[in-house]
Amino acid sequence: MVLPLLPGNSFNRNVEKKKFHKSQHWGFCNNVRMLVSEDKPGIGGELLPGQKMKPKYSDFPKGMGSTVPSWIAFDKQVLSFDAYLEDELPDKTQEKYRIRRYKILFYLEDDTIQVNEPELKNSGLPQGTSIRRHRISLPPPDEDQFYTVYHFNINIDVVFYGRTFKIYDADTFTKNFLKKIGVKLNPPGRCPEDPYMKIRRETLDRMEPLRPYESYDTLKQFLEYDRKVLRFFCLWDDSASMFGDRRKLILHYFLCDDTIEIKEVMPPCSGRVATSLFLRRKKLPKYGPPGVYQPGQITDRAVLNLYRGLTGRPADGYLLDKYKLGKVDQEFYKDSDLFIGTTINVWGRKVLLCDCDNFTKTYYKTKYGIENFTSISCKAPPPPKIERKFPPYNGFGSEEDSLRTCIGLVPTPHQRNFKKFMEKNSYGSTSNILRFFAKLITHKRVERDRMFVISYFLSDDTISVFEPIERNSGFTGGMFLKRIRVKKPGQEVFKSELPEYIQAEDLYVGARVNVNGYLFHLLNADEYTLRYMEENSDQFPMSSIELVLQKLKEEQSNSRELKQVFRNADPKLTKRVDYNTFRKKVLPTKDIRRLCKSFRLPLTDDLLGCILSGFQDSEEQINYELFFSALNWRMNPMPELQAVSFSKERCEDVWLGMPSPIPVKYVDYFRLLKDVFGLVEE
């Protein structure tokens, strides 16, 4: 009888089951296609026996980092833990256990683990790689799972295949990484000391050889540093001795046996005999030369006695001096004593180390941590410049020509400044000639009215003086001084140095120039000269308008008096004065009379009026400088009134028949006072 297909009447578990598919074994892990069959359920999505369902969602929030695979994100990143293991020794009587130290390496890219034991000399144990790199499962009952990064910390025990490793510390990278992933680190511990190594160390400290034989093992140093040589560039300064000089050397330090060899760099045409070596290869003592020693005094070992047995040979052995009594200690140079800037003693010669090659720099940087390799120049300082002295001028020819005869065996003419000649030579409308109108200063009354034209040539700094021809003057006129360079007065004639000549800066309107004993007063200049000096005010400070205004500003206290002087010179209040009036140091006659009365001159009115009439011009104005200079009885004990030479003044104005050099006829004195003193119109 068949039961109806009703609920409760059937034992088939597949009743009402609609999913009979088989899970695929391929999937994605970190966006990488790989085999994931071990985590897949059975047919229809049912869990297999012993399989646990993984949560669909993680307890941790999704991060914002990169989605690259772990074997790329954690490539070459390894966590290093320091651990030890207590290994029992039941068959030993001296110690019951051994402490063995290990390095546990956890590779983050694939969660593999490797355990290494550092090799210890004379430990008596097989050491090296204890557990090769692979994934290690957890101890039972979780043997179906593997160790991850969250299973590691400091001061915990981990079990690998039944052996318990105690982690007591980790490196800095491991600690920082565990902190970043949220692992709370335990304080570091301490590894106990191995009893066997302690007993062995105490035994070695108590051991002392019965026979004083010493072993000199130089093979290791030779094999390690063979053909490795330090090279220094040196300098031996022997210039203090007679016929000595500065000699360049090359020092070779052989690392295989601590010997030194020095070669000399022979410059061409040095005059010295070329030698192969300055110092042959040997150990160099620091305090040489030490003196003369007896034969056998310098030795590494001292033999006390010889002995022989029954074999009949001359000697079977020898007995050495254990305490090395009477041994001569010599200290030799090592690589630690050689640095740039150090002075070493080479058998009494002071040798300075100035530089080294690249291999030497790398050696000292690796072994001693030296970073500064600043070289020292081996070049000799420049010799003191010896001032060349020439004999004094003998009076024949010019000073320049006489000097050329002292410079070489074959006299050559003096070379003038050709560049200056080409730049300052006359061309076109540019004359490059400074012309001044001058008056001769002399005590001879006949020559006081003589006028001259002084021309200064900028191309070669020469000066010519010309006197205009004036009829019925008693003087011939014409060329007064031909074009030559004029020396400044007051110089020694017979001297070794070249004389100083009058320069363009010494010439300006108002200056007094001594030309070969004749004193000239420069009264005026032509238009080109004035314009040239104003354009080159840095060379001609007397033509700088800034300096003129600055000097006028220093007279701030006399601003009202100056303003009154200009008002008196401008009775019509035109705010302008004539150029000649502005240029001359003149005042009205009535002002001069008032000044004389205020100073109570012992003169009657008639006599004072007669004196003033002799100095006033056609416009009833008086040059106050000439007037008060004439009243100075010390400089002019017997003054004589001279009639004003109108022809000479007219000659100064019209510039010897040529157009006036200054086209200005009037001066706006009000603007001048406003710029200098800031005065306003009243």
Side-chain angles (χ1 to χ4, degrees), residues 472-507:
N472 300 326
S473 63
F475 298 97
T476 306
M479 184 60 67
F480 185 81
L481 177 67
K482 68 176 183 178
R483 180 177 173 180
I484 59 171
R485 298 176 67 185
V486 179
K487 303 176 185 177
K488 291 184 178 180
Q491 302 184 69
E492 184 182 355
V493 178
F494 302 102
K495 62 179 182 178
S496 302
E497 298 79 11
L498 294 176
E500 297 182 3
Y501 296 93
I502 297 178
Q503 302 296 325
E505 298 84 3
D506 303 328
L507 304 179

Side-chain angles (χ1 to χ4, degrees), residues 25-38:
H25 290 206
W26 296 96
F28 290 89
C29 181
N30 292 335
N31 295 333
V32 178
R33 298 177 183 269
M34 58 189 308
L35 184 65
V36 291
S37 59
E38 59 184 9

Side-chain angles (χ1 to χ4, degrees), residues 41 159 248 340 408 429 591 645:
V159 180
K248 296 181 180 180
I340 295 178
S429 59
D591 294 339
S645 178

Side-chain angles (χ1 to χ4, degrees), residues 384-413:
K385 188 176 181 180
I386 301 176
E387 184 180 359
R388 189 174 183 181
K389 296 184 179 180
F390 299 99
Y393 174 61
N394 54 12
F396 294 94
S398 63
E399 288 83 351
E400 290 78 6
D401 292 338
S402 298
L403 181 62
R404 298 302 298 180
T405 60
C406 301
I407 293 178
L409 295 177
V410 179
T412 56

Side-chain angles (χ1 to χ4, degrees), residues 290-392:
V292 180
Y293 295 103
Q294 298 297 328
Q297 190 174 0
I298 304 298
T299 179
D300 295 332
R301 301 178 182 181
V303 180
L304 297 179
N305 202 349
L306 301 176
Y307 60 89
R308 68 177 182 176
L310 301 177
T311 58
R313 290 182 298 180
D316 290 338
Y318 50 87
L319 183 63
L320 300 179
D321 185 6
K322 175 181 178 180
Y323 300 100
K324 301 179 181 180
L325 299 177
K327 180 182 179 181
V328 178
D329 294 331
Q330 282 187 306
E331 189 175 358
F332 299 96
Y333 279 105
K334 300 290 185 180
D335 57 346
S336 58
D337 302 323
L338 305 179
F339 298 99
I340 295 178
T342 304
T343 302
I344 62 175
N345 180 19
V346 182
W347 298 103
R349 297 168 178 84
K350 302 299 181 181
V351 177
L352 175 64
L353 306 184
C354 301
D355 200 358
C356 60
D357 58 0
N358 295 330
F359 172 77
T360 307
K361 295 178 181 178
T362 305
Y363 175 81
Y364 278 95
K365 184 178 180 180
T366 305
K367 185 175 182 179
Y368 298 103
I370 299 176
E371 299 289 343
N372 186 13
F373 296 98
T374 304
S375 60
I376 302 175
S377 178
C378 296
K379 296 182 179 179
K385 188 176 181 180
I386 301 176
E387 184 180 359
R388 189 174 183 181
K389 296 184 179 180
F390 299 99

